[in-house]
Amino acid sequence: MDADLLEILVCPVSKTKLYFDKNTQELISTAANLAYPVRDGIPILLEDEARELSAEEAEGYRAKKGQGA
């Protein structure tokens, strides 16, 4: 995921910054507890296409963000 693009993308639901998970190829919104897919390098920022994060996943991403990951 291009770092410049990641800087300007926000969650369409919460309007907060997104975190890119390289392993799952998803953009993560910890505010909305949603994971948006990235397909062929294209972020799919549609709420209907996002999957809901479990409480454990969301907490894990929040912890990573807090560590500056």
Side-chain angles (χ1 to χ4, degrees):
M1 170 71 40
D2 180 63
D4 291 333
L5 178 59
L6 190 55
E7 281 296 313
I8 62 171
L9 290 177
V10 296
C11 172
V13 174
S14 67
K15 310 296 188 243
T16 58
K17 285 189 161 243
L18 295 165
Y19 167 79
F20 181 61
D21 185 328
K22 292 177 188 175
N23 295 327
T24 61
Q25 292 293 299
E26 294 175 316
L27 289 166
I28 307 300
S29 171
T30 56
N33 288 339
L34 294 172
Y36 297 95
V38 176
R39 297 186 189 124
D40 298 321
I42 300 169
I44 311 298
L45 297 177
L46 300 171
E47 188 176 0
D48 291 345
E49 293 285 325
R51 73 176 177 87
E52 195 167 333
L53 297 175
S54 70
E56 294 81 20
E57 282 180 301
E59 188 56 40
Y61 286 119
R62 285 186 192 97
K64 284 183 186 179
K65 276 184 10 178
Q67 296 172 0

